[in-house]
Amino acid sequence: MMTSRSRRRTGVSVLTLAVAATVLGAPAAQAAPGPDPVQLTLNKLVSEDKFPAALASVRDRDGRADDYAAGVADLESKEKAPADGYVRIGSNTKTFTAVTVLQLVGEGKVKLDEPVETYLPGLLRGEGIDGRRITVRQLLQHTSGLPEYTDFMAEGFLPFQHTYFQPRDLLDMALKKKAQFAPGAKWQYTNTNYIVAGLLIEKVTGRPAVEEITKRTIDRIGLRHTFFPNVGDQGVPAPHANGYHRDDPAKPVTDVTTFDPSQAWTAGQMISTPSDLNRFFAALLDGKLLKPQQLKQMRTTVDTPQLGAGSRYGLGLSSIKLTCGGTAWGHGGAIPGYYTSNGVTEDGRAAAIAVTHLPATLPAHEHVESALDTALCTRF
């Protein structure tokens, strides 16, 4: 379901990431430049990995940006996919949620190492689960040990395509199970953490999490194509490429562009475009959303063996080492119908990609992952 670069598996709970690349043209005296590497990468994702569409937005350190698309927006009409169209961004939502919590920390309304019990008394109780032993930091860092609620879709997503879930419904599913481990004992990517973070935002501010996230992140930096769908909003704005999903690999894909994303809430409900994702993460790293101390805390990472070599996780923000040197910061996300991957570097490069079906195989997942490295390193 919703994700970061955390798990290396596919299906409804598949996790995240990746993108594409670009090069400068050859001097006039030389032969015409070859095909753009970004476009080639997207074309392969469509032709070889069978994604219906692939979109990319890539920016160099000087701020020059290009948008790309391959494949079709609709498998029936075969209409060309729009460059920089709207997509569901899945677990990239977690970064927006984490920023909002960290802003409250900067305002002195929340303390990272205070127990969740301080803000949500009596909420977290269960077998091995006690909110008096779980800190706010552990929620944002995925070291709380809380069980995963998304297992209710283990047999498939499609029966729940138009089902509305209250946030407490999601948390109650998790609390019926025992803790995965003692708080702080290890790292395990778990969507439940960010459902609790959303409830914390609401309790501390006295306002809906949707409103607070919008005001404190989207509106603050002027994102024009990013939003948190409100209750009952099941659509994706135009222009967009349709999202597709299959529960059974032996059956045809189903168009899931329209569905109720409340199953993801503050762990993965948001919609954006590849270029707006780049703007958000660039503004975050530039210090436009958090005070220096809170940004430092967000970028303080723990070891995450599940993410692969060179990857680590902070507070709603992950890092990955690039083959050309340096580190990219982002998150990525997966939700039925869409799979997004993104990263920004210290020197201002940014890349984001979206495909319109969850990766069906491990190689397809790896191809999307490696495309991010290609994009950022080509713009090096």
Side-chain angles (χ1 to χ4, degrees):
M1 190 176 154
M2 295 65 63
T3 78
S4 86
R5 293 184 185 83
S6 41
R7 304 170 194 164
R8 301 294 183 186
R9 46 181 191 160
T10 57
V12 172
S13 62
V14 72
L15 298 209
T16 146
L17 261 125
V19 171
T22 323
V23 291
L24 299 176
Q30 297 181 6
D36 190 304
V38 176
Q39 193 64 57
L40 286 177
T41 301
L42 297 186
N43 292 348
K44 285 185 176 181
L45 289 174
V46 171
S47 63
E48 297 180 9
D49 295 305
K50 307 305 179 184
F51 292 108
L55 315 178
S57 184
V58 186
R59 189 183 74 177
D60 65 23
R61 68 185 72 190
D62 297 319
R64 294 188 297 262
D66 294 293
D67 299 320
Y68 303 84
V72 297
D74 187 321
L75 288 174
E76 291 187 4
S77 70
K78 304 299 182 185
E79 178 184 351
K80 184 178 179 181
D84 203 38
Y86 285 93
V87 296
R88 297 189 188 277
I89 61 171
S91 279
N92 281 297
T93 302
K94 290 182 175 68
T95 310
F96 288 81
T97 300
V99 166
T100 302
V101 173
L102 286 165
Q103 287 176 350
L104 294 172
V105 172
E107 295 165 10
K109 298 175 182 177
V110 173
K111 293 182 179 179
L112 277 176
D113 295 310
E114 191 76 8
V116 175
E117 184 80 5
T118 301
Y119 311 103
L120 296 167
L123 180 68
L124 299 182
R125 294 290 190 277
E127 186 177 352
I129 301 169
D130 188 339
R132 293 167 293 192
R133 300 176 56 218
I134 298 171
T135 67
V136 175
R137 184 190 302 275
Q138 289 166 343
L139 290 178
L140 302 183
Q141 193 181 62
H142 293 299
T143 55
S144 71
L146 286 173
E148 178 62 86
Y149 77 86
T150 61
D151 293 349
F152 76 94
M153 292 189 296
E155 299 302 317
F157 155 77
L158 294 176
F160 306 98
Q161 182 175 352
H162 301 293
T163 302
Y164 172 70
F165 292 92
Q166 292 275 4
R168 275 305 306 263
D169 294 338
L170 306 177
L171 180 59
D172 288 345
M173 291 181 202
L175 295 179
K176 290 178 181 178
K177 300 185 291 185
K178 66 179 182 180
Q180 297 187 81
F181 49 85
K186 65 177 191 176
W187 184 90
Q188 177 63 54
Y189 188 91
T190 306
N191 290 286
T192 307
N193 289 311
Y194 277 76
I195 300 301
V196 179
L199 294 172
L200 184 151
I201 290 169
E202 295 195 330
K203 189 63 178 290
V204 171
T205 64
R207 300 300 306 167
V210 174
E211 178 184 303
E212 288 296 315
I213 290 171
T214 300
K215 177 180 68 176
R216 292 169 172 273
T217 61
I218 298 169
D219 293 346
R220 184 167 177 173
I221 57 176
L223 297 179
R224 298 176 58 191
H225 304 292
T226 301
F227 68 100
F228 199 118
N230 219 325
V231 173
D233 186 352
Q234 298 192 56
V236 178
H240 66 258
N242 292 354
Y244 295 90
H245 180 79
R246 54 162 60 92
D247 286 339
D248 184 345
K251 294 183 178 180
V253 296
T254 298
D255 187 332
V256 294
T257 311
T258 300
F259 88 89
D260 194 315
S262 58
Q263 61 184 253
W265 199 46
T266 47
Q269 189 166 328
M270 292 178 68
I271 289 174
S272 187
T273 62
S275 65
D276 247 21
L277 273 180
N278 286 343
R279 293 185 188 100
F280 169 70
F281 281 96
L284 175 58
L285 260 64
D286 285 345
K288 296 178 181 177
L289 287 166
L290 293 174
K291 296 177 181 178
Q293 181 59 29
Q294 278 69 61
L295 182 57
K296 180 180 178 181
Q297 294 280 2
M298 191 177 209
R299 292 172 48 157
T300 300
T301 59
V302 295
D303 187 32
T304 53
Q306 301 96 317
L307 296 185
S311 297
R312 297 178 64 84
Y313 200 92
L315 305 182
L317 190 66
S318 61
S319 67
I320 186 171
K321 296 295 182 182
L322 300 174
T323 58
C324 54
T327 299
W329 293 88
H331 199 285
I335 194 164
Y338 298 94
Y339 183 88
T340 58
S341 174
N342 44 277
V344 298
T345 64
E346 302 285 355
D347 63 0
R349 288 169 287 150
I353 194 172
V355 291
T356 56
H357 191 294
L358 294 176
T361 66
L362 182 57
H365 178 255
E366 291 174 343
H367 294 161
V368 179
E369 293 274 8
S370 63
L372 176 63
D373 183 85
T374 300
L376 293 171
C377 287
T378 300
R379 289 293 179 103
F380 182 65

